[in-house]
Amino acid sequence: MIGVLVRLQLKLSWRYTMSSVAMKVGSLIMAVLMLGSVVPLMWGMLALRGTSAATRGEVLTSGFALLTLLWPIMVTLMTGSNDMLDAGRFALYPVRMGRLMPGLVVSAAMGLGGVMMLFLGVGYVAAWSTSPLTLLGAVVGWVVGFATCLASSRALAAVLADVLRRRKARDLTIIVFFLVIMGFSVAMQLVSRSLAAGTITTNPDAFFAGLSTTAGVIAWTPFGWAWGLPWALASGQGVKALLWLVLALAWLVLMAWVWAHQFGKRLTSQLEAGGEAEKITKANPLDRLLPATPAGAIAKRGLRYFRRDPRRLISIIATIILPFLMALSMSMSAGQMSPDEQAIITQVLTFSPALAGWMVAIYVGWDISYDGSALATQIVTGVSGRDDRWGRVLASLVLFTPIIVVMIIGFTIYTGQWQVLPSVVGVSAALLLIGMGVGSWIGSIWQIPQPPAGSSLVGRNGTGGAAGFGASMIGMFLPVILTLPVVALAVLALAVNPVFSWLALLVGFGLGGLVLWWGIRSGGRRLDRTWPEALAKVTWKG
């Protein structure tokens, strides 16, 4: 049974990797990136072989304990309960859990994660190969630690399986994952600024002094018990090493029992959970606010999609966060500048909300791609391309305009640059309206199939190719180029005369409205001629 499951795992993985050109390239890039990061770490651990036992123990125990903690979290966030050897696939076969579990344990290690742990394990064992006793402890610690990573990830996924099968839970997981990435980027900015300012010490002695206390605490956690075995043996603390080994084995048995229990329950239960009942609510105020026309109906549907589809909800979050990220970066840099430079930074900071309008342009361009095969329902009703373009633009305007207005007022209050408020409004309106016009035109030419709602955030299909990349570049840079006249007037308002600020306001709305009208008109005409082709392009084929 072990051989059968391992061959099945390898065959499914190979078929999944070879399913498209994008998957082949993506898998190759992932493998290269993994080797590019793991091999230097392995050589770094080999270099630790010549250091003291305390230094090796602090660094290796802390690093591998962090890996053991993050392994199940990242696996669950990225794949949820979607396992190629999920218990539900074996529910109809007369095979007991006891026969399946050994093969599942071995097949769980057959992947990039297993290869990564193999390389890291070589470095870990080599770092502790200074004596036979520590070498034995390192081998035992690596085996128990690797098994703990596998068992804990499967146990967590199994416990959360029922929850992650619900669409709302999967959507929330994607949003949380996106927020974690954004928070990590902010944290990296803060750390880099602190290093540059000298508030975080780079003295190796001070670093290892703080690491010694931290590693001592980490070694007594379930994530550090196995990895601290050779450290305890090298320090002559055999009793502590024995205690850590017993605790590590007990934790491994607990994780394995949770996994086996959940797997056995899933193996004897129904394959799919039943559907959920939903309460029918009355129409919301937007149904009365938006017109009762085809374009209005598309706008109402789009607004509901922004709330229900996590990918579109992420677009709202990104639109709100991006100006604040720019403001944070500029504010941290301002402390090291002269007063004149700080004044310029303050004025530029006032224009940060214009980035939100620029982001909206990208979403309008790809909005039709998120419909997928459901676009057929709209096509068969006879909705014109012009109504489709107007409806999607109207939904974005209703949603994002209040957000941008509030941000403009808030940033202006923060900086106190009220004299540039007309310029800020003009530039923001130009980027928003021009971007929507360009996006309406691009969306009628290029459509890319998107994964269904609830899929992995990084999942993609291999049919986008160079066309999708080119469309993204046009959608990003063309609105900026067309907005340059408004930006020039805003610069003249700052450098020459405030009267140019009002000209920037008028030109921004005028030019933006003209490009918006052109984009909706030309995009609508093209869709009227190419609805079948558009439907074929946006349909997700897995």
Side-chain angles (χ1 to χ4, degrees), residues 32-63:
V32 171
L33 290 177
M34 186 202 70
L35 292 176
S37 59
V38 170
V39 172
L41 288 175
M42 182 185 68
W43 287 108
M45 286 185 283
L46 291 174
L48 286 175
R49 192 174 185 274
T51 61
S52 64
T55 301
R56 280 178 287 166
E58 293 163 3
V59 174
L60 295 177
T61 302
S62 301

Side-chain angles (χ1 to χ4, degrees), residues 63-77 149 152-153 156 223:
F64 278 92
L66 180 62
L67 176 63
T68 307
L69 172 64
L70 294 179
W71 186 301
I73 296 175
M74 295 304 298
V75 169
T76 303
L77 281 175
C149 290
S152 59
S153 64
L156 181 61
F223 313 105

